[in-house]
Amino acid sequence: MKEELETLFESERASEETNCEKFTGGHGNHKENSPFLNSSEAGKGGDYYDRNLALFEEELDIRPKVSSLLGKLVNYTNLTQGVKEHEEAESTDGSKKKVSKSPSMGTLMGVYLPCMQNIFGVILFLRLTWMVGMAGVLQSFLIVLLCCCCTMLTTISMSAIATNGVVPAGGSYFMISRSLGPEFGGAVGLCFYLGTTFAGAMYILGAIEILLTYIVPQAAIFHPSGAHDASSAMLNNMRVYGTVFLILMAVVVFVGVKYVNKFASLFLACVVISILSIYAGAIKSIFDPPEFPICMLGNRTLSRDQFDVCAKTIVKDNITVASKLWELFCHSTNLTTENCDEYFLMNNVSEIAGIPGAASGILKDNLWSNYLEKGEILEKAHHPSVDVAGQKNNLHLYVLSDIATSFMVLVGIFFPSVTGIMAGSNRSGDLKDAQKSIPVGTILAIVTTSLVYFSCVLLFGACIEGVVLRDKYGDAVNKNLVVGTLSWPSPWVIVIGSFFSTCGAGLQSLTGAPRLLQAIAKDNIIPFLWVFGHGKANGEPTWALLLTALIAELGILIASLDMVAPILSMFFLMCYLFVNLACAVQTLLRTPNWRPRFKYYHWALSFLGMSICLALMFISSWYYALVAMLIAGMIYKYIEYQGAEKEWGDGIRGLSLSAARYALLRLEEGPPHTKNWRPQLLVLLKLDEDLHVKYPRLLTFASQLKAGKGLTIIGSVIQGNFLETYGEAQAAEQTIKNMMDIEKVKGFCQVVVANKVREGIAHLIQSCGLGGMKHNTVVLGWPYGWRQSEDPRSWKTFIGTVRCTTAAHLALLVPKNVSFYPSNHERYNEGNIDVWWIVHDGGMLMLLPFLLKQHKVWRKCKMRIFTVAQMDDNSIQMKKDLATFLYQLRIEAEVEVVEMHNSDISAYTYERTLMMEQRSQMLRQMRLTKTEREREAQLVKDRHSIARLESLYSDEEDEGDPVPENIQMTWTKEKCDAEKRNRGSAVGSFRDLISIKPNQSNVRRMHTAVKLNEVIVNRSHDARLVLLNMPGPPKNTDGDENYMEFLEVLTEGLERVLLVRGGGREVITIYS
């Protein structure tokens, strides 16, 4: 191995010598090129540097002056990328760059009002009264409280993140991705995008519902053919008109976003006026409630749009005749009762006030919930009635519940009315002081909207009759919007105001969502979205708008506002959950860069917000929650699989470091129990002159043995000086990592630069790993061709490494003939793995084949265990005991005991030992004469160098140092006589080789090796792999070369051999 390592590092040594010549040439006038200084800048002369900074002048290009750094920071613009991309953008677009206007928006216009506009929406006008009617005032308070707490806690977390440094334009996506990394950022960014897109669909559906139900009902295209087709006809109308509206809005957004932004304040004014009209109406209802009578049949609420007079009969020209109501229930204009509905006959018709007013005391009736199943009739509790069954075909005359309601359903429907808290952070690029405006504006907006919601719940419960509240579409009040009945001066204020505000909100969603998708696409973390990063010349996201419109169309095809609302609730809740998680992770990790200006946050608040988000997701719709999580999980895994090469200093990396540190400290508490012991490998690789891996099958073997479990460190040594060969070490490390990827080795790589290979290997064995995650097994390649080489360094390095591992109490694996080992793509469908258990070495021989059989290459191989019995051993009892031992170890294997008879040492063994010793002696003589010649040459060359003379004897590795091929010697008479004597003694020593007698100890060892080899080859010549105890090296280093010969003899004739040496501890146990 020593010779191969010598050839491996010749190129490095040559390059070092060349470098030395460069540095020493020029007789001291050479100016050293600093690795840290750009040569072009160095040539500019002394004027380039500030005189006061002369000490730092060589590093000013990588460590700039404070003044130039601050100058760059002042020019910061709110680009969506990081600093590096910003600098690139500046350098590429420097010529075209226009003078941008400085951000000038304050808290009110930039954060507070946009948040208000986004939070108030369609749910307030179309569903809040219905929610109060179904859930009652108390449970409605609870729903509003839960949702508002969720958004308030999220806002606190968001404020902390938003004030932790300069906020790039892009809002929540950038906050999460830069806090939690590209995987979470991409997953949550897409969830937020889908939420915003579905919000656009919900607002469009709300606008269509207001248009077709309350403004122009006659515009409906589909009409119910029968009494029970009303809902399906309405849904079809919603689909058609919704699609038309969506196309129109998409065109508006495509043509000019500036118009959407200009009209935003108008839409907000509509919302504010509508809310004020509700308060005005509530105040007016105290002393002058509006006239909206409700017609009741018994305690059932009648749909008022199908008749005019709330009575069974009317007096016409002093004659009592049947009213329209009678005709509807009795199917006759006569006052005959034979075809009448029984419930109609038995119960009286009465009128009650739809808006009794705040002073009426109706609040106590509306405190409690009144949930209904789908198709149930709206009834007024405690109202006089006779409970009899009516005719089913008359159900359409009553006001019915169109969906089944519960607390959970209402949470899902209401939650979208508190979303929109990100509006301020999305505009961070336009704010004068984003770090101040975002927290203040957003929190004020949430407080304001929460107060409005709480007061509206109270006012609706105090002013409006319960059956009217539960009437979703205002059928009982002549198809009026229920909120409109309470408003002052006219219901049309709310109807028109809510229509325009929902249209405006829809436009805002269709404007914001494509930009978010474009930002995600430009980050290039989700490769298949790259096309959506492009747009018009002015940067408008055309393709992203098209995709947004298509996804929104899916929401419109659902057509029901109550079905779409929970979907977007899921996506928003998922987004808010991760905002809270980002804040909590950063706070708990105490990342050095985590220094928010907003101080009123705490990790417990973030966790509470996260818990509420998760609870609300499963409360409102557990199956939608699972689908949303599945989508987010798939995006996360996809980004992870694609390998998002983004380093944003995210918190998840910090979390991984903290978890790793905690685990390492836990592992440090004590050595692993025998049950947990598995080989943690340090694979020592050899590189060739071009820094390529010489034996890649060592990596293949490591991957098959580990199967992705535990620790694998791939180590290599480059000979030379660290300062001069650092680049080569980096290149070698990259080469090894590429080979690890090819061979599917999961682990770490470490390349060490050392003056001597043996020292480098010793350093690796001592220092690889960290704490409890250290290697316990070394995998070492066999030094092929050591016999043919005159240079002893290869086998000396090998034996030195064996001694190092023994001293460090590490196990050692030496795969011999490793190039014949199977690749990961091969499969052995039959064959044996043979274990030759000669001495007990901690159980490594049992454990290794078991671990190898876990891999698909070796899975179908059978395991055979051979052990050696001497003449005085009871081989039958040994076989029984071994079978019992393996049974207790839970290892399936065939057992065989091989008897080794005491035989005389054969002539072949004696001859083999003699040849070995003669060869060793001959090589020693050759090296001795060669060394003497070199010493003589060196003395002539540098007779005054005492230090060099001493170093000739200092280290055996120097024996192989290259020497000049042409030695110029100056001969004197004395030197000539000395040379003749040396040659004479050399010839004499070669004659002595013939009469040498082999050492008896060596003969015994050779006898053991030959006999064992005969037995092993006889039994295991066709085995797929042979595992064998590796004998230890001799204590006396003079016998090292003989030791190598013994190992060669022991493994002769075997195709694939794994020599195993234990680390001095038990690695397998019979106990559970």
Side-chain angles (χ1 to χ4, degrees):
M1 188 172 175
K2 199 164 184 184
E3 176 215 321
E4 292 165 52
L5 286 167
E6 169 63 26
T7 58
L8 166 65
F9 300 117
E10 272 177 9
S11 59
E12 281 86 354
R13 196 182 298 114
S15 66
E16 285 167 27
E17 287 168 5
T18 313
N19 289 337
C20 287
E21 286 167 18
K22 284 181 189 173
F23 275 88
T24 54
H27 305 288
N29 298 325
H30 169 72
K31 181 180 178 182
E32 182 176 332
N33 288 326
S34 167
F36 307 111
L37 188 61
N38 195 332
S39 57
S40 63
E41 291 174 353
K44 291 179 187 176
D47 296 338
Y48 178 73
Y49 298 112
D50 200 324
R51 286 182 185 176
N52 295 327
L53 297 176
L55 275 175
F56 305 96
E57 65 183 17
E58 292 188 351
E59 297 183 317
L60 278 177
D61 60 330
I62 58 164
R63 294 184 172 92
K65 290 192 292 183
V66 174
S67 57
S68 59
L69 173 71
L70 292 175
K72 282 183 183 177
L73 289 178
V74 167
N75 293 329
Y76 179 86
T77 56
N78 281 297
L79 284 181
T80 53
Q81 290 84 1
V83 177
K84 187 178 176 186
E85 294 92 332
H86 178 197
E87 288 170 0
E88 287 169 5
E90 282 188 336
S91 61
T92 53
D93 301 338
S95 56
K96 303 176 187 175
K97 198 164 67 172
K98 296 176 185 175
V99 179
S100 58
K101 8 175 233 190
S102 60
S104 58
M105 286 181 133
T107 305
L108 183 70
M109 292 302 293
V111 181
Y112 180 72
L113 293 179
C115 281
M116 291 272 286
Q117 186 195 349
N118 277 265
I119 294 171
F120 284 135
V122 65
I123 301 293
L124 169 64
F125 303 117
L126 293 183
R127 294 290 181 269
L128 191 57
T129 51
W130 173 73
M131 185 186 90
V132 174
M134 292 293 182
V137 172
L138 295 179
Q139 286 193 25
S140 296
F141 268 140
L142 183 59
I143 292 171
V144 175
L145 182 68
L146 264 177
C147 296
C148 290
C149 280
C150 175
T151 52
M152 179 58 86
L153 291 169
T154 305
T155 301
I156 291 170
S157 299
M158 184 193 75
S159 300
I161 298 170
T163 58
N164 186 48
V166 181
V167 185
S172 57
Y173 161 65
F174 288 98
M175 286 184 198
I176 296 164
S177 61
R178 270 53 176 181
S179 297
L180 292 180
E183 294 89 358
F184 277 114
V188 180
L190 278 185
C191 279
F192 192 51
Y193 164 72
L194 290 172
T196 312
T197 305
F198 274 105
M202 185 190 77
Y203 288 129
I204 290 171
L205 289 173
I208 302 301
E209 186 178 308
I210 295 167
L211 182 74
L212 293 182
T213 311
Y214 308 114
I215 300 177
V216 276
Q218 58 272 25
I221 299 170
F222 299 93
H223 299 282
S225 55
H228 305 290
D229 295 338
S231 63
S232 59
M234 183 64 181
L235 292 180
N236 287 329
N237 284 322
M238 301 274 270
R239 290 183 182 111
V240 172
Y241 276 100
T243 306
V244 172
F245 263 54
L246 177 64
I247 292 167
L248 287 174
M249 287 185 178
V251 168
V252 169
V253 172
F254 177 76
V255 170
V257 178
K258 58 179 181 288
Y259 300 117
V260 178
N261 293 331
K262 279 180 182 175
F263 283 112
S265 52
L266 175 65
F267 297 137
L268 179 61
C270 291
V271 175
V272 173
I273 291 167
S274 301
I275 292 169
L276 290 176
S277 74
I278 294 172
Y279 287 121
I283 294 166
K284 180 178 174 289
S285 72
I286 297 172
F287 49 84
D288 184 16
E291 287 290 327
F292 281 101
I294 309 297
C295 193
M296 306 291 293
L297 176 61
N299 64 351
R300 296 179 180 179
T301 313
L302 293 170
S303 181
R304 194 62 189 260
D305 63 327
Q306 302 185 45
F307 57 91
D308 48 358
V309 179
C310 182
K312 290 185 179 181
T313 59
I314 54 171
V315 178
K316 201 172 186 181
D317 299 330
N318 292 328
I319 302 169
T320 303
V321 293
S323 67
K324 180 68 175 172
L325 198 58
W326 185 284
E327 287 179 28
L328 291 168
F329 276 100
C330 297
H331 312 291
S332 166
T333 52
N334 302 324
L335 291 173
T336 54
T337 59
E338 53 191 38
N339 293 325
C340 280
D341 187 310
E342 189 181 358
Y343 187 86
F344 178 72
L345 290 175
M346 299 292 287
N347 286 284
N348 294 322
V349 174
S350 60
E351 269 191 340
I352 60 171
I355 314 286
S360 63
I362 195 75
L363 179 63
K364 65 178 184 295
D365 295 334
N366 291 331
L367 280 177
W368 312 109
S369 62
N370 197 346
Y371 296 117
L372 300 174
E373 290 300 317
K374 185 177 180 179
E376 264 192 73
I377 300 168
L378 268 62
E379 297 178 348
K380 180 172 170 61
H382 313 302
H383 204 66
S385 71
V386 179
D387 192 15
V388 291
Q391 293 176 4
K392 283 191 176 179
N393 58 353
N394 288 330
L395 283 175
H396 67 283
L397 300 172
Y398 301 108
V399 181
L400 304 175
S401 170
D402 65 332
I403 61 167
T405 51
S406 66
F407 181 81
M408 298 181 178
V409 169
L410 295 181
V411 168
I413 292 172
F414 177 74
F415 188 79
S417 63
V418 295
T419 59
I421 58 171
M422 300 290 186
S425 60
N426 290 347
R427 292 164 176 255
S428 54
D430 302 323
L431 298 173
K432 195 185 297 179
D433 184 0
Q435 296 190 5
K436 179 184 172 187
S437 297
I438 288 174
V440 174
T442 312
I443 290 171
L444 278 178
I446 289 179
V447 169
T448 308
T449 50
S450 301
L451 289 174
V452 169
Y453 285 135
F454 281 120
S455 59
C456 282
V457 167
L458 190 63
L459 289 176
F460 293 158
C463 298
I464 305 175
E465 172 60 52
V467 286
V468 181
L469 286 173
R470 289 189 287 282
D471 180 6
K472 189 187 285 184
Y473 300 110
D475 292 327
V477 286
N478 216 1
K479 286 288 184 184
N480 273 304
L481 183 58
V482 175
V483 188
T485 58
L486 181 62
S487 66
W488 179 88
S490 164
W492 286 102
V493 175
I494 291 263
V495 172
I496 301 298
S498 59
F499 177 73
F500 279 117
S501 71
T502 45
C503 286
L507 279 170
Q508 291 280 2
S509 297
L510 289 178
T511 306
R515 275 160 181 68
L516 184 58
L517 182 63
Q518 187 182 36
I520 297 168
K522 279 186 174 175
D523 264 345
N524 201 27
I525 55 172
I526 305 174
F528 67 82
L529 290 180
W530 68 270
V531 70
F532 299 110
H534 307 297
K536 291 196 285 189
N538 62 353
E540 291 297 318
T542 313
W543 292 107
L545 176 62
L546 185 63
L547 181 68
T548 304
L550 289 173
I551 296 172
E553 178 61 21
L554 293 177
I556 282 165
L557 291 176
I558 294 171
S560 170
L561 188 70
D562 303 318
M563 293 291 286
V564 175
I567 295 174
L568 68 105
S569 293
M570 287 307 127
F571 290 124
F572 278 120
L573 280 165
M574 182 79 78
C575 177
Y576 296 167
L577 185 146
F578 281 108
V579 170
N580 284 304
L581 176 65
C583 181
V585 165
Q586 299 272 38
T587 309
L588 287 174
L589 289 178
R590 296 191 180 92
T591 316
N593 191 48
W594 181 245
R595 302 184 298 275
R597 286 190 181 281
F598 181 79
K599 300 298 181 189
Y600 306 102
Y601 69 93
H602 193 269
W603 64 265
L605 292 176
S606 298
F607 269 115
L608 181 61
M610 204 167 75
S611 308
I612 293 174
C613 287
L614 198 62
L616 286 176
M617 283 174 74
F618 282 94
I619 283 172
S620 54
S621 176
W622 63 267
Y623 43 91
Y624 278 159
L626 291 176
V627 169
M629 287 179 162
L630 183 67
I631 291 171
M634 284 167 63
I635 297 165
Y636 180 96
K637 293 309 287 182
Y638 175 76
I639 296 171
E640 192 179 55
Y641 173 74
Q642 286 294 327
E645 294 178 5
K646 301 281 181 187
E647 179 49 65
W648 288 328
D650 52 87
I652 291 298
R653 191 177 178 82
L655 191 63
S656 303
L657 283 169
S658 290
R661 174 183 168 277
Y662 174 75
L664 284 170
L665 289 171
R666 284 290 303 274
L667 284 172
E668 192 79 343
E669 289 173 7
H673 192 273
T674 306
K675 288 187 285 188
N676 298 327
W677 195 96
R678 64 163 64 243
Q680 317 288 9
L681 301 183
L682 168 61
V683 183
L684 295 172
L685 276 191
K686 190 183 293 184
L687 303 178
D688 62 17
E689 292 178 3
D690 298 323
L691 299 180
H692 294 139
V693 178
K694 203 164 187 181
Y695 301 113
R697 283 292 162 87
L698 271 176
L699 291 173
T700 314
F701 171 69
S703 73
Q704 291 168 6
L705 182 62
K706 299 295 290 176
K709 305 288 192 303
L711 176 72
T712 306
I713 301 171
I714 310 298
S716 188
V717 181
I718 286 183
Q719 191 170 4
N721 186 315
F722 177 71
L723 290 176
E724 293 162 10
T725 54
Y726 176 70
E728 289 176 30
Q730 293 283 84
E733 194 167 318
Q734 194 54 50
T735 305
I736 293 172
K737 282 180 180 174
N738 294 340
M739 189 57 71
M740 287 168 71
D741 288 340
I742 293 167
E743 297 296 341
K744 296 184 172 59
V745 177
K746 291 183 171 65
F748 308 98
C749 170
Q750 191 162 352
V751 176
V752 168
V753 179
N755 288 327
K756 293 170 186 163
V757 175
R758 205 183 308 173
E759 284 179 9
I761 290 173
H763 291 157
L764 282 172
I765 289 172
Q766 289 176 73
S767 62
C768 271
L770 182 64
M773 281 291 278
K774 286 183 79 72
H775 56 277
N776 54 29
T777 307
V778 176
V779 179
L780 180 64
W782 178 261
Y784 302 101
W786 68 272
R787 278 174 171 163
Q788 290 75 31
S789 170
E790 289 183 17
D791 186 358
R793 275 187 298 176
S794 60
W795 56 264
K796 282 196 173 184
T797 303
F798 175 80
I799 295 174
T801 307
V802 174
R803 285 198 172 100
C804 278
T805 55
T806 307
H809 299 291
L810 301 174
L812 178 67
L813 308 179
V814 181
K816 198 161 180 281
N817 303 329
V818 75
S819 53
F820 295 119
Y821 276 52
S823 71
N824 284 326
H825 304 294
E826 293 178 49
R827 301 282 185 284
Y828 285 150
N829 293 321
E830 56 182 3
N832 300 312
I833 299 176
D834 285 359
V835 175
W836 283 85
W837 192 19
I838 298 159
V839 292
H840 181 58
D841 217 358
M844 279 283 285
L845 285 167
M846 314 291 169
L847 188 61
L848 290 173
F850 170 76
L851 293 173
L852 275 175
K853 276 168 63 67
Q854 307 301 310
H855 196 274
K856 54 193 174 186
V857 172
W858 305 92
R859 191 165 290 150
K860 293 187 178 176
C861 291
K862 291 180 180 174
M863 186 171 158
R864 296 191 303 184
I865 296 185
F866 298 89
T867 190
V868 175
Q870 302 302 323
M871 284 300 290
D872 53 348
D873 293 326
N874 184 344
S875 58
I876 298 169
Q877 189 59 40
M878 272 181 74
K879 187 171 182 177
K880 282 182 183 176
D881 293 344
L882 183 54
T884 307
F885 179 58
L886 288 175
Y887 176 77
Q888 289 171 335
L889 285 176
R890 291 90 64 204
I891 289 177
E892 292 180 13
E894 292 179 28
V895 176
E896 206 163 323
V897 176
V898 179
E899 292 183 351
M900 297 265 300
H901 301 289
N902 286 336
S903 60
D904 293 333
I905 294 168
S906 65
Y908 169 76
T909 303
Y910 192 86
E911 191 68 29
R912 189 85 189 246
T913 314
L914 182 64
M915 282 171 61
M916 176 185 77
E917 294 201 356
Q918 282 176 342
R919 179 180 175 280
S920 299
Q921 187 69 20
M922 189 186 302
L923 287 171
R924 198 174 291 119
Q925 291 289 348
M926 287 168 66
R927 280 197 294 273
L928 187 64
T929 54
K930 182 181 175 185
T931 307
E932 284 177 349
R933 284 202 312 274
E934 289 168 7
R935 186 183 303 137
E936 180 68 28
Q938 189 62 38
L939 283 170
V940 171
K941 187 177 179 182
D942 189 6
R943 65 188 60 176
H944 300 295
S945 175
I946 303 299
R948 177 64 183 164
L949 185 61
E950 289 174 356
S951 73
L952 279 169
Y953 304 96
S954 65
D955 194 293
E956 58 199 356
E957 281 202 354
D958 288 334
E959 290 166 11
D961 282 351
V963 293
E965 291 179 9
N966 300 319
I967 302 172
Q968 303 294 329
M969 298 182 71
T970 306
W971 291 98
T972 61
K973 188 173 186 304
E974 293 82 8
K975 282 180 186 170
C976 190
D977 294 341
E979 180 65 18
K980 285 176 183 175
R981 280 197 303 275
N982 286 342
R983 284 180 182 171
S985 65
V987 170
S989 62
F990 280 121
R991 286 199 193 100
D992 294 342
L993 286 174
I994 300 162
S995 58
I996 197 170
K997 286 190 176 180
N999 184 306
Q1000 284 303 308
S1001 170
N1002 286 343
V1003 171
R1004 284 200 314 275
R1005 287 192 174 93
M1006 182 63 79
H1007 175 68
T1008 305
V1010 169
K1011 292 293 290 178
L1012 272 175
N1013 179 256
E1014 281 178 12
V1015 173
I1016 293 169
V1017 170
N1018 184 33
R1019 299 297 182 96
S1020 300
H1021 60 90
D1022 59 347
R1024 298 294 189 190
L1025 180 66
V1026 175
L1027 283 88
L1028 185 62
N1029 283 115
M1030 180 179 180
K1035 292 178 181 176
N1036 184 0
T1037 55
D1038 293 340
D1040 282 359
E1041 198 165 3
N1042 299 338
Y1043 171 69
M1044 294 298 295
E1045 188 69 37
F1046 296 145
L1047 291 180
E1048 286 281 14
V1049 171
L1050 186 62
T1051 56
E1052 227 168 30
L1054 296 171
E1055 188 178 18
R1056 283 179 288 270
V1057 185
L1058 181 63
L1059 294 169
V1060 180
R1061 187 161 169 71
R1065 62 161 293 169
E1066 292 294 326
V1067 301
I1068 196 164
T1069 177
I1070 62 174
Y1071 300 107
S1072 62

